[in-house]
């Protein structure tokens, strides 16, 4: 009984605190990357969107078309008052199918095209980083000039090998053209290899 009373007290206290707040805890629109629900999306895109909408999620970062056309997914989003903020693709598709990627992203209504993995065997090296920079600058310019879409890279930790006075991630950031290349910093995969995620948001 005592535990029940304590629980009720804290629930009421929490309710009072929340009701006293004039601003929401997270004022930004809550987003979700489709990879999190990839198995559900693979089975039924529409039903998965319905579930996410019930959860209050309107912004979907698609990383796959799940066998659908971009136009079909766009209609499903529009019908539910949802939107796609970014479209994720593989590095090979980014390089070899840049215009197709750009058109799909445009159809989805995405403002960003993102890549989250640079192919490499073993250690990520400065040679790979240099090729990555050249590729990112090239496709970033094409996506911006032809589709008005911003390319961004989502890191996954291997980029933080030491290089000169910083890391290979620093090298990539410093040598890509900020007009055409942006970055979506993964907090875990920045902190885990020993870097400070906050410094990348300054």
């Amino acid at each position: 009984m005592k535990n029940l009373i304590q629980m009720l007290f804290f629930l009421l206290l929490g309710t009072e605190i929340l009701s006293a707040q004039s601003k929401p805890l997270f004022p930004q629109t809550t987003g979700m990357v489709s990879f999190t629900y990839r198995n559900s999306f693979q089975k039924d895109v529409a039903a998965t969107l319905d579930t996410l909408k019930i959860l209050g999620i309107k912004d979907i970062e698609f990383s796959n078309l799940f066998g659908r056309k971009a136009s079909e997914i766009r209609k499903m989003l529009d019908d539910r008052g949802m939107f796609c903020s970014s479209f994720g693709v593989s590095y090979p598709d980014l390089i070899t199918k840049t215009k197709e990627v750009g058109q799909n992203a445009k159809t989805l209504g995405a403002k960003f095209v993102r890549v989250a993995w640079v192919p490499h065997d073993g250690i990520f090296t400065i040679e790979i980083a240099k090729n990555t920079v050249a590729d990112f600058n090239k496709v970033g310019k094409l996506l911006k000039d032809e589709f008005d879409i911003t390319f961004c890279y989502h890191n996954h930790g291997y980029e933080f090998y030491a290089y000169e006075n910083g890391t290979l991630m620093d090298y990539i950031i410093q040598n890509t053209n900020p007009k055409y290349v942006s970055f979506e910093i993964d907090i875990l995969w920045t902190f885990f290899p020993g870097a400070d995620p906050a410094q990348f948001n300054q």
Side-chain angles (χ1 to χ4, degrees), residues 5 8 13 20 33 39 51 62 65 67 70 72 85 94 99 101 105 114 117 122 145-146 151 159 170 175 193 196 198:
I5 292 173
L8 289 172
L13 179 62
V33 64
N39 294 330
T51 299
F62 273 96
L65 293 179
E72 294 174 336
S85 57
L94 177 75
K99 291 191 176 183
V101 165
R114 73 185 190 286
W117 190 267
D145 290 349
E146 296 195 20
F151 169 70
E159 312 89 344
D170 294 319
N175 288 277
D196 179 5

Side-chain angles (χ1 to χ4, degrees), residues 124-153:
F124 191 73
T125 64
I126 182 58
E127 288 76 21
I128 299 173
K130 288 180 178 179
N131 289 333
T132 299
V133 165
D135 286 341
F136 283 0
N137 282 331
K138 179 180 178 180
V139 298
K141 185 177 189 305
L142 190 153
L143 289 170
K144 177 58 72 175
D145 290 349
E146 296 195 20
F147 299 96
D148 194 27
I149 288 175
T150 300
F151 169 70
C152 69
Y153 177 61

Side-chain angles (χ1 to χ4, degrees), residues 74 77 83-86 104-112 149:
R74 174 64 182 272
L77 290 169
F83 65 96
C84 172
S85 57
S86 79
N104 281 336
K106 194 78 173 178
T107 300
L108 287 168
K111 296 180 179 179
F112 299 90
I149 288 175

Side-chain angles (χ1 to χ4, degrees), residues 37-52:
Y37 286 84
R38 59 193 179 279
N39 294 330
S40 296
F41 271 118
Q42 199 67 56
K43 294 176 183 176
D44 193 327
V45 175
T48 306
L49 289 176
D50 288 337
T51 299
L52 292 171

Side-chain angles (χ1 to χ4, degrees), residues 122-194:
I123 295 175
F124 191 73
T125 64
I126 182 58
E127 288 76 21
I128 299 173
K130 288 180 178 179
N131 289 333
T132 299
V133 165
D135 286 341
F136 283 0
N137 282 331
K138 179 180 178 180
V139 298
K141 185 177 189 305
L142 190 153
L143 289 170
K144 177 58 72 175
D145 290 349
E146 296 195 20
F147 299 96
D148 194 27
I149 288 175
T150 300
F151 169 70
C152 69
Y153 177 61
H154 180 113
N155 64 289
H156 268 106
Y158 54 81
E159 312 89 344
F160 289 90
Y161 280 104
Y163 177 71
E164 293 186 345
N165 295 322
T167 67
L168 291 174
M169 184 68 176
D170 294 319
Y171 176 87
I172 293 172
I173 292 173
Q174 292 164 7
N175 288 277
T176 46
N177 189 333
K179 287 176 60 178
Y180 305 122
V181 181
S182 294
F183 295 85
E184 182 181 67
I185 300 300
D186 188 308
I187 294 174
L188 170 64
W189 288 115
T190 301
F191 177 79
F192 189 71

Side-chain angles (χ1 to χ4, degrees), residues 45-72:
V45 175
T48 306
L49 289 176
D50 288 337
T51 299
L52 292 171
K53 183 179 179 180
I54 291 171
L55 294 174
I57 296 168
K58 295 182 178 180
D59 176 5
I60 309 294
E61 285 190 308
F62 273 96
S63 302
N64 196 317
L65 293 179
F66 301 102
R68 299 278 192 156
K69 293 181 179 178
S71 57
E72 294 174 336

